Amino acid sequence: MCGRYSEKQDLKKVEDQLKLRLSEKAKNWKPSFNIAPSQLAPVVTSEEPDLIDVFHFGLVPHWAKDKKVGYKMINARSETLLEKPSYKPLVINNKRCLVLADSFFEWKKEGKEKQPFRIYLPVF
């Protein structure tokens, strides 16, 4: 996952396109060009694959005493997933989700400045 991403479509439209239901929280969610760690974002979970719901962006491990640790846990390396105590139980127990997004951002460092680049697939 990247550090920031966007989902600019109205979830009602996504609900109709994918033939899913919207949770009450998802009905109130507003599209955003700048979804950052800790913010609410739309997802479809493996536990309820017919429902669009919203969760905070980031992973808060079951052992964490402070949920702020989840703000930093947004990336995982596939080659070490089963070695990390934060990710291993999620992989083994098939706890997955589909993050609804239409673009993501990467930054190029130029000296002390960072230039954001939005990466997306054009829709014809």
Side-chain angles (χ1 to χ4, degrees):
M1 192 68 200
C2 55
R4 303 268 174 142
Y5 68 97
S6 71
E7 175 53 75
K8 62 183 184 343
Q9 281 198 74
D10 182 86
L11 291 184
K12 180 67 178 147
K13 184 176 179 181
V14 176
E15 174 190 39
D16 294 340
Q17 288 174 335
L18 299 179
K19 312 270 189 280
L20 301 174
R21 300 177 295 122
L22 286 178
S23 72
E24 287 303 314
K25 289 190 296 183
K27 288 177 183 177
N28 296 320
W29 186 82
K30 302 290 182 228
S32 176
F33 274 98
N34 190 16
I35 300 170
S38 82
Q39 292 182 330
L40 290 173
V43 298
V44 177
T45 67
S46 58
E47 292 176 346
E48 290 191 83
D50 64 334
L51 180 72
I52 299 172
D53 206 349
V54 292
F55 292 89
H56 289 275
F57 174 17
L59 171 67
V60 180
H62 67 278
W63 44 261
K65 292 183 176 149
D66 186 351
K67 70 177 186 176
K68 289 181 183 177
V69 79
Y71 304 163
K72 296 179 182 175
M73 296 192 67
I74 59 170
N75 289 311
R77 294 184 180 274
S78 61
E79 58 272 14
T80 60
L81 273 179
L82 295 175
E83 298 169 14
K84 304 294 182 181
S86 301
Y87 300 108
K88 184 177 179 177
L90 301 175
V91 174
I92 290 172
N93 296 312
N94 204 26
K95 300 281 187 177
R96 315 269 173 111
C97 71
L98 171 69
V99 176
L100 300 179
D102 55 30
S103 71
F104 64 95
F105 295 91
E106 289 296 334
W107 282 261
K108 180 180 180 184
K109 196 170 185 178
E110 296 177 1
K112 294 181 181 181
E113 300 290 318
K114 286 185 176 180
Q115 173 70 41
F117 289 90
R118 182 172 175 238
I119 300 162
Y120 64 96
L121 291 172
V123 180
F124 298 98

